[in-house]
Amino acid sequence: MSKNSVLKGVFLVGLGATSYGMLATFVKLAYKENFTTAEVTSSQFIYGILGMLLINVFQKIKKKEQVIKATTKNITHLMLAGTSLGMTSVFYYLAVKYIPVSIGIVLLMQTVWMGVLLEWFLDKNAPSLQKIISVGIVLVGTILATNLFSKSLDLDWRGIMWGLLAAASFTTTMFTANRIAIDISSAQRSLYMLLGGAIIVFGFSMATQMTPFNLGIFTKWGIVLALFGTIIPPILMNAGFPHTGIGLGSIVSSLELPVSVTMAFIILNEKVIPTQWLGIFLIIIAIVIMNIQLKKE
């Protein structure tokens, strides 16, 4: 693999992670305009599905018979996997409703150790020393990044609960997305996973929306949330990961964490103290350690 190819991959994955990092700040801004979680998630998924449909049609016209069609089994599996994607959006957006974005993104990053546990449970492979060290660093970094021992800390328990549930469902999404129907195009996979996620999102909306649905979300924040949450990141990351490989790609995608905190700091004026930045740095270091190749093949 050429150096230019790797650099291209790093650039694409980095842009995708940056897009994801901006998402929670936009959600928080929508909340300030009194839009509900149901309105935010529904508009994002509706626009996301429409966007992915257009991308699939474009690919089909451009490549014609070269596009491998998803089987009924592929579609069923991807939609089932997509339900965890819908749960991640609902849980994460509920979390940042009650706690700062800078804390919410740190909770979401608990996927690092949750992924290790899930892999251990499903594959029956005990984690390596490298992964155990990484998990330890993540936990220390989390304590610092959430300012857990501060006497002035007053975090809403609902935000912490939803944040950890978001991390758990996101772990499931990542684990299944890399194993299901990998022979079909990423655009098709994204579309069917979004359709599966939409079932959860629309069900949540019908169960929780007690006021008339504010259609203004579609003209104000819906397009932005869909672009930065469900359209741009998957396209860029799916294009970039083949050039970087999983290890380097995972390291670069950790950019989502500092970008999210920086956006919250600049736009939302959230207070982020030096020890929290240290915790964020430790989490990124842990992701690097977990994914770097310590031994040459």
Side-chain angles (χ1 to χ4, degrees):
M1 191 178 290
S2 70
K3 186 177 180 181
N4 286 338
S5 177
V6 173
L7 287 173
K8 178 185 176 182
V10 167
F11 179 73
L12 292 171
V13 173
L15 275 181
T18 301
S19 297
Y20 268 138
M22 296 178 181
L23 195 58
T25 295
F26 295 139
V27 172
K28 204 82 167 180
L29 291 172
Y31 283 155
K32 286 186 176 182
E33 295 182 13
N34 296 318
F35 290 111
T36 65
T37 305
E39 290 161 352
V40 167
T41 51
S42 295
S43 62
Q44 178 184 334
F45 269 73
I46 288 170
Y47 276 130
I49 289 168
L50 289 173
M52 293 312 301
L53 273 171
L54 289 173
I55 290 168
N56 274 281
V57 169
F58 176 77
Q59 284 190 349
K60 193 171 182 180
I61 293 170
K62 187 179 178 182
K63 296 183 179 179
K64 295 181 181 177
E65 70 279 352
Q66 294 178 17
V67 176
I68 300 172
K69 289 184 178 180
T71 63
T72 304
K73 184 179 179 181
N74 290 153
I75 294 170
T76 303
H77 287 174
L78 286 168
M79 287 185 68
L80 283 172
T83 57
S84 64
L85 184 66
M87 284 188 279
T88 301
S89 294
V90 170
F91 294 154
Y92 187 43
Y93 293 175
L94 283 171
V96 297
K97 189 175 184 178
Y98 298 109
I99 56 177
V101 169
S102 54
I103 303 295
I105 188 64
V106 170
L107 292 176
L108 188 64
M109 284 292 162
Q110 302 312 296
T111 51
V112 175
W113 63 265
M114 288 183 182
V116 172
L117 287 180
L118 186 62
E119 189 177 42
W120 187 6
F121 177 74
L122 293 178
D123 293 345
K124 310 300 181 186
N125 290 328
S128 63
L129 179 61
Q130 186 177 347
K131 288 186 177 180
I132 293 171
I133 291 170
S134 299
V135 168
I137 295 172
V138 165
L139 294 175
V140 173
T142 300
I143 291 170
L144 294 173
T146 54
N147 202 18
L148 193 61
F149 294 131
S150 172
K151 292 180 181 178
S152 61
L153 184 67
D154 185 25
L155 290 179
D156 193 314
W157 67 269
R158 291 171 295 182
I160 296 172
M161 178 189 72
W162 291 124
L164 291 174
L165 283 173
S169 57
F170 190 45
T171 302
T172 306
T173 302
M174 291 193 299
F175 200 79
T176 55
N178 292 324
R179 297 180 175 217
I180 295 173
I182 55 174
D183 53 330
I184 65 172
S185 69
S186 59
Q188 286 185 82
R189 294 172 76 239
S190 297
L191 174 61
Y192 295 124
M193 286 187 74
L194 278 175
L195 288 171
I199 296 170
I200 299 296
V201 168
F202 297 156
F204 167 80
S205 298
M206 288 187 286
T208 61
Q209 187 73 13
M210 300 304 173
T211 57
F213 195 96
N214 188 348
L215 296 176
I217 190 70
F218 287 100
T219 55
K220 188 66 186 286
W221 292 109
I223 295 175
V224 175
L225 292 169
L227 281 173
F228 286 92
T230 50
I231 298 175
I232 293 175
I235 291 172
L236 292 177
M237 287 185 166
N238 283 323
F241 265 92
H243 298 289
T244 61
I246 296 297
L248 179 58
S250 298
I251 293 168
V252 176
S253 64
S254 67
L255 272 174
E256 178 187 351
L257 177 56
V259 168
S260 187
V261 175
T262 303
M263 285 281 289
F265 177 72
I266 295 172
I267 296 176
L268 301 175
N269 295 315
E270 289 188 4
K271 184 180 179 182
V272 186
I273 61 176
T275 52
Q276 286 179 275
W277 285 114
L278 175 60
I280 290 163
F281 177 72
L282 285 175
I283 292 172
I284 294 172
I285 288 295
I287 294 169
V288 172
I289 291 173
M290 184 172 288
N291 290 285
I292 202 167
Q293 292 293 330
L294 296 179
K295 296 179 181 178
K296 290 185 177 180
E297 294 293 333

